[in-house]
Structure formats: C-alpha cells, structure tokens
Amino acid sequence: MTDAKKGPGLTAGLKNKLIQQALERKLRQAERSQDRQATPPIPKTPKVTIPEAFTRFDQHPGYRQLRIMNDGAARMGVRSPFFKLHEGVAGAETRIAGKNYINYASYNYLGMSGDPVVAQAAKDAIDKYGTSVSASRLVSGERPLHRELERALAQLYGVEDAVTYVSGHAANVTTIGYLFGPRDLVVHDELIHNSVLQGIQLSGAKRLSFPHNDFDALDRLLAAQRHEFERVLIVLEGIYSMDGDYPDLPRFVDIKQRHHAFLMVDEAHSLGVMGATGRGIREHFGLPGTAVDIWMGTLSKALAGCGGYIAGETALVEHLKFLAPGFLYSVGMPPPVAAASLAALQRMLEMPQRVSALQQRGALFLDQAKAAGIDTGYSTGYAVIPAIVGSSLKAARLSATLFERRINVQPILYPAVPEKSARLRFFVSASHTESQIIETIETLVQAL
C-alpha cells in the first residue's frame, strides 16, 4: 500500500490528536458541571444581633452588682472599708494616712513580717540570687532556697517531701484540679475556702459538702456514696478563716481510713497558731504527719512570705512537681520570698514563746468579748475571732466607727458570709498587748 495522497490540509495523525484533545476538554467541563451541581451553594450567614451587654465589661452582672452595693453604701454615708493604704509594716499596729492604728486586719500572727532576722534573710537572697528566678523551676528556675524551704516544711510535718507554689489559692486549685477527675468524689466541710471549691470545679469531680465539723454526717455520707467512685478526697481546714474554730481531726482521720479515702487539711490559718511549738493542728492533737495524706498551707500568714505548699509522701510531691499545671507552668518562687519564709519557719521553732503569746492574746480577746456579750460564733480564740453583728450595713458602719477611733478591723460582708452572719473579723497577733485588746473590746462595746 502507498501513503495517502498528500496535499493541502491536516494530516490524519494531527487531525486525530486534535479530536482527542477536544473530547478531553468536553469531559473535564462535564465533570466540573457535575461538581457544581453536587455541591450545594454556601448559605448566607443570617444576621444576628448581639446584645450590647455581652460586649461591655461595665454591663457584666458581677460589676453591676458591685456598683449597686457601693452606690448604696455611699448614699447611706458608709465609706468603703477596702484597699486601705498601709504606710509601713502591718503588725499589731499600722500607719494609714499618717495616723497610727491598732491593727486587726493583717494575719502577721507571729510578727515575723518585719522581724529583722527575717528581713535580713530576704535582703541576702536578693544580693545572691536577684529578685526573680526568671523561669519555671522545672526548666531553669530551681535555686537552693527552694529545696531548703521544702525540706524544712517536710520535716515540720514529719513527711517525706513538700512542694511550694507562688500562690496559696493556686496551690489548692491546681492540686485538687489535677489529682482528681470526673470518676472521683470530693467531700468538704460546708465552710471550706473558695480555693478548694475552685479546684473541685476544675477537676470535674463530684462535689458534696457536709455540715460544719460534723464528722458523723460525713461518715453517713461516705457510707452511702463511697462505692460509686474511684478516688475520694475529704477536705478540711485547720482553723476556719471566717469563724476561728477547728475540726476534731482524729475523728476525721478515722473516717477516712474506714472509707478508704484521702484526707487533705488546709493549714493556712493553723500553722504557727496551734500546737505548743506552732506545728499546727497535728501537734495540737498529737498526730503523726502521715495521718493526713495531703497537708496544705500558705506562707503568707505565720511565715511572713507569699505562696502555698503541699506536703506529703514522695509520690504525691514528685507527681505535682512534674505535672500539676499551677507549678509546671508558673515561674519559681522569688528568692527573697523563699528566704523570708524559711527564716520565719526557723524563728518560729526557735522562739515558741511567740506561739504561746499568740495563744494567750487570742484567749484573752475571746474571753473579754464573750464577757461583754459580743457574738463570737464558733471561735475558739486561736487568732481568728469574729464579732457577728447580723447585717452587712451594720458591719460596714461598725468598721468605719472603729476606724475613726484608731482601730483597724475589716468587715466581712455578704456574699462572703450569709447576710445574717455579717461580721467584723479580728486577726490577733502575738505582738498585741493586753491593754490594746482590752481597749479594743471596750471601744467595740461602745460602738455597738
């Protein structure tokens, strides 16, 4: 056979190639058309009107309630008792706006804040380590002072180890929030501190409360509930910060053992206050440190610093140091703060007479107040003594009246306590004199 006749026009091969390309284009167009038909059009976003109150902080319900309270107090001629500016060390006495006052608004229980030995320890730490460790302790913020303070706290409680946090509130929140979860139960005294409640909320654990200091009610609660949960935590305070009383700790230890639960005691207000040498509620009852699973406390009261701690067995502390968010992701405690608290702890053990003086002054205040007919509620005279007056307005006015007479004491108002339990809260110090306490009670009775 011979080739097709050659002449003008396309060759057969080129013509076939062009036809193939045209067919492919049509096929792609058809596929795109099908895709457009299969994909529904994106609907137009409906117009939504967001209320202005959701975009303004001055319309937040909490702030509006605060404004109502402050404006109402101003109309009644009651000045705000909060955020007073102290001009020096706040101990048994303080200076505000150029005037001296007997001071019951600071929990400098043993007079360690302002103690020259404690202050010098903080100054020396600044000279050696600076004012900040500038990192979380896990990565680069560890200093010898941290370990010395934690060893001293562990020895104080007779347990294996301790860990310090830069905030007492955060110590409770992150410890409870991390260690417990949705399959667990946390049971607490009905008057427990806010930091415990926040920690439970973070954890997602079931939360139940029992009547104040009622160990029988706790026993019944656990008998009915314990089997439904994996881990169970019982939380108490060593001294309750609003009422000044304490639990019968041995009874709670027995209950936690029988129901296979953990027991946590918040010693924010009992360390340095209870026990012959200030070792707290366990010394008061003669219990070993291992009787309680989690000891918690703060460094800002008797120990003249700032922050919190957890003390207990090695497995607990090591776990928290590596994984509790409030420790892991927070900067390490500043060196002068750690040094001050360590020095205050050592001074407390060296000077038990300060603890004894505090206990004597507290007992005197309580006895004088009761004899004068003042409602002191549950207080046992250990440093925290309320004068319950029955309404927030009355408490605020009474605080203002005492302030005019050179006595500084803060009112505790609703919602921090029930309205009918509004009060003045007196923090007694080892540095208060007997004459100051007697003068205070006489002035309080006159003001009432």
Side-chain angles (χ1 to χ4, degrees):
M1 294 181 62
T2 59
D3 291 340
K5 183 180 178 181
K6 295 182 180 180
L10 299 172
T11 65
L14 181 57
K15 183 185 289 185
N16 290 337
K17 184 175 182 180
L18 292 173
I19 291 171
Q20 181 66 29
Q21 291 176 346
L23 289 172
E24 291 175 355
R25 280 197 299 273
K26 287 184 178 182
L27 181 60
R28 286 195 295 270
Q29 289 171 357
E31 290 174 347
R32 284 196 293 269
S33 177
Q34 290 176 355
D35 289 342
R36 284 195 295 270
Q37 293 174 3
T39 304
I42 299 175
K44 293 182 179 179
T45 303
K47 188 175 181 180
V48 178
T49 302
I50 304 297
E52 187 179 9
F54 295 166
T55 65
R56 294 173 51 179
F57 288 119
D58 64 348
Q59 296 298 310
H60 191 285
Y63 181 74
R64 294 178 69 179
Q65 179 66 25
L66 178 63
R67 292 310 317 162
I68 290 171
M69 293 170 58
N70 288 346
D71 293 345
R75 285 194 298 271
M76 295 178 184
V78 180
R79 296 179 59 185
S80 172
F82 307 114
F83 293 101
K84 293 188 178 95
L85 190 61
H86 295 250
E87 298 167 355
V89 175
E93 297 179 359
T94 191
R95 188 170 181 82
I96 301 172
K99 298 178 181 178
N100 294 327
Y101 294 82
I102 303 174
N103 182 41
Y104 296 97
S106 304
Y107 25 68
N108 187 8
Y109 292 135
L110 298 177
M112 293 299 180
S113 179
D115 180 277
V117 174
V118 174
Q120 189 60 52
K123 295 172 186 177
D124 292 344
I126 291 175
D127 292 340
K128 188 169 185 178
Y129 300 110
T131 56
S132 174
V133 297
S134 308
S136 71
R137 286 177 56 188
L138 188 72
V139 294
S140 187
E142 192 82 347
R143 300 294 185 272
L145 282 171
H146 296 138
R147 297 188 183 184
E148 291 173 28
L149 175 58
E150 288 166 351
R151 281 196 297 269
L153 287 167
Q155 291 172 3
L156 186 77
Y157 281 98
V159 295
E160 293 174 344
D161 206 351
V163 54
T164 53
Y165 297 81
V166 292
S167 161
H169 191 281
N172 269 337
V173 173
T174 198
T175 299
I176 297 172
Y178 174 72
L179 290 177
F180 299 91
R183 296 180 179 179
D184 303 328
L185 170 67
V186 182
V187 190
H188 62 84
D189 189 287
E190 63 180 349
L191 300 185
I192 205 70
H193 193 265
N194 169 270
S195 56
V196 171
L197 301 180
Q198 294 294 315
I200 300 169
Q201 182 177 355
L202 176 63
S203 74
K206 173 80 171 179
R207 178 175 74 86
L208 294 172
S209 65
F210 57 90
H212 183 50
N213 280 338
D214 191 338
F215 45 80
D216 286 331
L218 172 64
D219 197 13
R220 292 192 298 270
L221 186 156
L222 291 178
Q225 297 280 341
R226 174 63 183 96
H227 64 281
E228 296 184 7
F229 300 92
E230 293 182 357
R231 297 173 187 83
V232 172
L233 174 68
I234 304 164
V235 192
L236 315 171
E237 291 185 35
I239 288 179
Y240 285 87
S241 60
M242 292 293 176
D243 294 271
D245 62 336
Y246 57 89
D248 186 345
L249 188 56
R251 300 297 295 267
F252 286 96
V253 170
D254 175 65
I255 289 170
K256 81 100 180 178
Q257 291 173 342
R258 286 192 288 105
H259 292 284
H260 306 283
F262 294 109
L263 178 60
M264 179 177 185
V265 178
D266 180 337
E267 281 224 283
H269 292 274
S270 51
L271 181 70
V273 175
M274 297 183 76
T277 61
R279 284 177 166 85
I281 192 169
R282 81 174 187 89
E283 184 179 32
H284 176 86
F285 282 108
L287 293 172
T290 53
V292 170
D293 302 285
I294 305 174
W295 290 104
M296 180 272 170
T298 56
L299 305 174
S300 56
K301 279 78 174 176
L303 298 187
C306 186
Y309 61 84
I310 295 290
E313 63 178 282
T314 300
L316 166 70
V317 172
E318 188 175 4
H319 192 183
L320 294 174
K321 279 188 174 183
F322 277 90
L323 294 172
F327 180 86
L328 178 61
Y329 297 109
S330 180
V331 71
M333 183 176 291
V337 174
S341 292
L342 177 60
L345 178 55
Q346 293 167 343
R347 293 279 280 170
M348 179 188 80
L349 297 177
E350 293 167 357
M351 305 175 68
Q353 63 269 26
R354 289 200 188 185
V355 178
S356 176
L358 170 61
Q359 293 170 356
Q360 291 171 11
R361 299 297 183 271
L364 174 65
F365 194 108
L366 182 65
D367 290 344
Q368 292 289 316
K370 284 185 171 182
I374 296 169
D375 182 0
T376 57
Y378 301 129
S379 180
T380 55
Y382 278 106
V384 181
I385 304 170
I388 300 172
V389 296
S391 79
S392 294
L393 178 60
K394 188 172 183 179
R397 282 179 167 167
L398 187 57
S399 173
T401 299
L402 291 177
F403 191 71
E404 292 172 358
R405 302 182 188 183
R406 301 293 182 87
I407 296 173
N408 183 47
V409 57
Q410 290 296 106
I412 306 298
L413 314 175
Y414 175 84
V417 292
E419 175 63 18
K420 65 180 181 180
S421 298
R423 65 196 63 190
L424 300 185
R425 181 172 58 165
F426 292 85
F427 291 120
V428 180
S429 163
S431 303
H432 281 113
T433 65
E434 292 185 3
S435 61
Q436 285 175 332
I437 290 172
I438 293 171
E439 176 187 346
T440 297
I441 298 300
E442 291 175 349
T443 305
L444 177 59
V445 171
Q446 294 168 6
L448 283 169

